Amino acid sequence: MSRARLIRAPALGEIPIRPMTEIDLIEVGEIERITGLSVWGEEAYRAEFGRENSIMFVTVFPSRETAAEMRVSGFIVARVAGDEVHINNIAVREQARGRGLGSALLSAALGAAKKAHARVAVLEVRAGNRAAHALYLRHGFVIVGRRRNYYKSPPEDAILMTAAL
Ligand SMILES: CC(C)(COP(=O)(O)OP(=O)(O)OC[C@H]1O[C@@H](n2cnc3c(N)ncnc32)[C@H](O)[C@@H]1OP(=O)(O)O)[C@@H](O)C(=O)NCCC(=O)NCCS
């Protein structure tokens, strides 16, 4: 159990979630790099802003180092296509994990997808990513398949998961 998980999680309603804006992109790019996600890069996120079927949320908190300065602590990017929403990226800064932020971001994205008439959520996750597996299982996802060597650097299988909305 990480140190962050010992901090009591605030109620979900207390976690501020808002749509991602261009101003957030530097921090989103930073989180992407330091959390080891497959890197999309700033331009790819910028392109998502132009799509009406994109769901892009951030959660913003004062940083622990400088209490006054608000920091993007996590983000989620998903895209609705027909009755399906694909969860593309979700990440929370390491020092902010275990406080319900990932859960709040995922709930917000799934809620927005449902409003946009999505009926099923789909995603791929690294086979060894236990924290993400647990998060998704908690939100009703089930494992439906495996893609061999789907990821590069380092190579790893992907687990495919879906959830009915
Ligand atoms: C996956 C990730 C987004 C979870 O964010 P988080 O804010 O720590 O998650 P939460 O605090 O909301 O936890 C929600 C649930 O997920 C599960 N979970 C999260 N982290 C876990 C861990 N380290 N070990 C076990 N379960 C964990 C638990 O079921 C938890 O619910 P609980 O606290 O009531 O038991 C975060 O670990 C992260 O950013 N990882 C790196 C990026 C990444 O791998 N993204 C997924 C790509 S597919």
Side-chain angles (χ1 to χ4, degrees):
M1 188 185 281
S2 72
R3 197 164 56 88
R5 294 191 71 71
L6 297 175
I7 298 165
R8 206 165 69 85
L12 278 189
E14 296 168 26
I15 296 174
I17 305 282
R18 64 157 171 79
M20 190 188 294
T21 68
E22 296 227 2
I23 294 167
D24 301 319
L25 285 182
I26 290 174
E27 285 193 276
V28 165
E30 183 197 356
I31 295 171
E32 190 181 57
R33 277 192 308 280
I34 58 183
T35 53
L37 288 178
S38 307
V39 173
W40 271 30
E42 208 173 306
E43 279 318 305
Y45 286 105
R46 219 178 277 283
E48 283 299 301
F49 287 130
R51 296 176 186 271
E52 62 177 44
N53 54 352
S54 266
I55 294 169
M56 307 170 82
F57 291 140
V58 293
T59 179
V60 179
F61 276 103
S63 74
R64 286 203 177 133
E65 301 83 49
T66 59
E69 185 196 336
M70 296 299 274
R71 263 188 123 187
V72 174
S73 297
F75 71 95
I76 187 163
V77 176
R79 194 189 292 169
V80 177
D83 67 354
E84 194 173 289
V85 60
H86 192 274
I87 308 296
N88 289 316
N89 262 347
I90 177 169
V92 171
R93 285 186 194 275
E94 200 165 353
Q95 59 273 40
R97 289 184 195 159
R99 303 171 71 194
L101 302 190
S103 211
L105 285 162
L106 186 57
S107 293
L110 296 178
K114 212 168 162 178
K115 274 194 190 149
H117 309 295
R119 292 287 162 262
V120 62
V122 299
L123 58 85
E124 300 94 30
V125 54
R126 280 184 180 269
N129 191 341
R130 294 290 155 219
H133 285 203
L135 170 69
Y136 298 137
L137 290 171
R138 196 161 181 73
H139 284 261
F141 283 81
V142 293
I143 295 172
V144 291
R146 188 177 190 106
R147 288 205 181 117
R148 299 270 165 216
N149 289 316
Y150 180 80
Y151 293 104
K152 314 271 172 258
S153 323
E156 192 173 353
D157 293 353
I159 300 297
L160 311 184
M161 301 181 89
T162 69
L165 298 181

